[in-house]
Structures are given as structure tokens and as C-alpha cells.
Amino acid sequence: IFEIRARKRASQKTLLIVDDIADSFDYKNKYAIIEYLKDISEDENFFQIIMTHNFDFFRTILSRGIVSYSQCLISNKNSLGVSLEQASYVKNPFINDWKNNLTDSKKLIASIPFVRNIIEYTQGDDGNDYLLLTSILHLKQNSSSITINDFKLIFEKNIQNVSFPANIDTSKAIIEAIFEGAEDCLTATQGANLEHKIVMSIAIRLRAEQFMKSKITDQAFVNALDGVPNQTWILFKKYEEEFNNEKESIDILKKVNLITPENIHINSFMYEPILDMGDDELRRLYKIVKEKLVIS
């Protein structure tokens, strides 16, 4: 700070590299630092390259006018190398994009956890709509019978002033649409694509639960989970207990639990974990789950 003040007095042109500066501070001081960066940005002699892994900080830098939207970039690492792309999803993607573009099957599927969270916040987590959407994100006894039309009815009831597109095949089973979407994501152009990552995460979780439910022999235990919103970890502990010698499948299921929990129960404000994750990692895990966790 002393060095910056000295350069200001000397009107010395300066380029500052700011690297994850917010992570070292508590909430109050983090915003004091943001105000300081704002002050620096208003000096014509100072230029900044600001880097961060903290998406909330990233979004705040934009909202406070420290940078313009065109200057917000996200780094993307894949098999082709590292690239910088124009940032998307800085503001709520469901409100600003997905709900008006449901003919894109990936955006329709990615909207499911957002609508579920809206219902949770406004109505609680024990109503019929919330439980039905839970049966899309987790494998329950009724999951295979849920259609896109079931989601349409919930969507139109809870999202105001938006009409569900008429040219969508609403008779299709929504789990079938999820798995089809995941297959499409395997060959899609790689990039910082949030809806693709959510589709992959949901499909990974569903395939893992299908596998565990097909293996666990205590059917009464499995059936009792229908009333449990977040069942994957419970299923895993039961599977691990019964099949403790199945090291390969246990290691894969541990990775599923490690990578996908935050992504499934994503809400409109906290989707940093999935944005931080590369497409390659989710693609690899989906292929492994599909190929190695074979349902008998």
C-alpha cells in the first residue's frame, strides 16, 4: 500500500498483478480490499490484472465497476491447452438465460436444480413439487416414470411470466433425457459451459445410484430411502459395508461423492464449485461410471 501511494504521488504508470487477494481476508476486510481496488481503478496511471479462484469475488469486482463485462475472462484448461474465454454466468444464468431457452435440452435439465431450490426457499423441502424434483436428481422408485411434462407443470406453476416451449416432447422420460444429454456433452465443444457440467453431474450421480441400488441386497433399506432427499452417501456407506472387497467400484463411488455433491444441490447464488471444475474431469468420471459400474 505504501508503494502504491508513492507511485500515485509520482504519477507513475503502474501495472498491478493482483493474485487471489481476497482469500487471505475475512468478509469485512475482503470488501475493504474491493473498495481499495475500485479506488486504484479510477486512477489513470494504474492498470490491474486481477486473478481469483473465488467466484463471488469475481462477480463483485464486476458489480462494483472495477472492470467491465468485456474484461471478465475465465480460464479454461483442457486437452488442447489453456485458453481465456469471455466469462458467462457472472449473473444468475437461470434468470438471464436458461428459463427462456428451454428448447436447449441441456438448459432445460440444468434448470431442474434451480427450480428445486426456488421451491425449497419459498415452500420448504417437504412439498410434492420439491419431492418430485428430488426424484429426478436422485434415483427413487418413481424416478423412471417422471416425464418432462411433470417438470413442465412444476416449472409453470413456480416460475412466473414464462411459457414452456410448445415444441418440446414432454412425453419423454426425464431421466432418459438426462442420459441423452450427458452423451451429447461427451462430444460437445469443450469450454466453461455451466449447463453441460450440471447435466454431466446429474447423470453421474444417477448412474452411481442405479448401480448401488441394483447391488444392495437389503431391499427394505433401499425402499426406505424414498423419503430421504440426499441419499447418495447413505447408499454408498451401505454398499461399502456389504461389498467391502470391491475396491475398484468403491474408489469410483468415492470420487462421485467427492466431485458431484455441490453440483447437484446447486442454487442460484452458489455455483462456484462446478465452474472451478474442468470439463475433462467430469467427462472422464462419467465414462468411468458408465463403463465400470455395470448394473446386473
Side-chain angles (χ1 to χ4, degrees), residues 3-21:
E3 177 71 17
I4 290 172
R5 289 177 63 87
R7 285 169 177 264
K8 270 192 173 186
R9 288 179 180 175
S11 297
Q12 182 177 350
K13 287 193 179 295
T14 301
L15 172 63
L16 297 172
I17 310 296
V18 183
D19 185 11
D20 262 334
I21 194 169

Side-chain angles (χ1 to χ4, degrees), residues 138 201 204-205 208-209 212 230-240 249-265 277 285 289 293:
H138 292 281
S201 298
I204 287 168
R205 181 60 63 98
E209 290 190 358
M212 289 186 286
N230 307 325
Q231 66 184 20
T232 318
W233 181 252
I234 300 171
L235 280 169
F236 170 70
K237 296 309 291 181
K238 184 69 171 178
Y239 177 86
E240 187 180 37
S249 60
I250 287 172
D251 287 345
I252 293 170
L253 292 167
K254 282 181 178 178
K255 193 164 188 180
V256 169
N257 275 294
L258 179 67
I259 288 178
T260 63
E262 298 93 343
N263 308 344
I264 299 274
H265 305 294
M277 189 181 304
L285 182 56
V289 168
L293 302 184

Side-chain angles (χ1 to χ4, degrees), residues 2 5 12 16 22 25 33 43 60 67 120 124 129 156 171 192 199 231-232 235 262 265 267 284 286 289-290:
F2 176 82
R5 289 177 63 87
Q12 182 177 350
L16 297 172
F25 298 99
I33 285 293
D43 190 307
T60 305
V67 297
E120 180 183 8
D129 290 350
E156 290 179 336
S171 65
V199 170
Q231 66 184 20
T232 318
L235 280 169
E262 298 93 343
H265 305 294
N267 65 45
R284 280 195 299 272
Y286 180 76
V289 168
K290 183 181 172 184

Side-chain angles (χ1 to χ4, degrees), residues 32-43 48 50 61 63-67:
I33 285 293
I34 288 171
E35 290 303 312
Y36 189 62
L37 296 179
K38 170 72 172 172
D39 182 56
I40 292 172
S41 72
E42 293 170 349
D43 190 307
Q48 300 178 75
I50 302 172
I61 291 293
S63 67
R64 298 293 175 90
I66 297 171
V67 297

Side-chain angles (χ1 to χ4, degrees), residues 191-231:
N193 193 314
L194 179 61
E195 59 264 27
H196 283 209
K197 292 179 180 181
I198 294 176
V199 170
M200 294 289 289
S201 298
I202 295 172
I204 287 168
R205 181 60 63 98
L206 286 171
R207 285 200 178 278
E209 290 190 358
Q210 277 184 335
F211 171 77
M212 289 186 286
K213 283 195 166 189
S214 75
K215 295 292 186 181
I216 294 171
T217 57
D218 187 345
Q219 195 58 47
F221 170 86
V222 171
N223 292 342
L225 292 177
D226 261 23
V228 178
N230 307 325
Q231 66 184 20

Side-chain angles (χ1 to χ4, degrees), residues 49-59 62 67-78 81-91 93 190-195 197 271-279:
I49 296 175
I50 302 172
M51 297 178 286
T52 182
H53 286 91
N54 186 308
F55 199 75
D56 180 60
F57 181 76
F58 183 91
R59 189 166 34 204
L62 171 64
V67 297
S68 66
Y69 178 71
S70 64
Q71 295 170 309
C72 289
L73 305 174
I74 288 184
S75 64
N76 178 48
K77 181 181 179 182
N78 56 39
V82 179
S83 61
L84 292 176
E85 303 174 6
Q86 175 66 57
S88 301
Y89 321 112
V90 182
K91 297 181 180 178
Q190 296 185 355
N193 193 314
L194 179 61
E195 59 264 27
K197 292 179 180 181
Y271 42 84
E272 182 178 340
I274 196 170
L275 276 171
D276 239 6
M277 189 181 304
D279 276 20

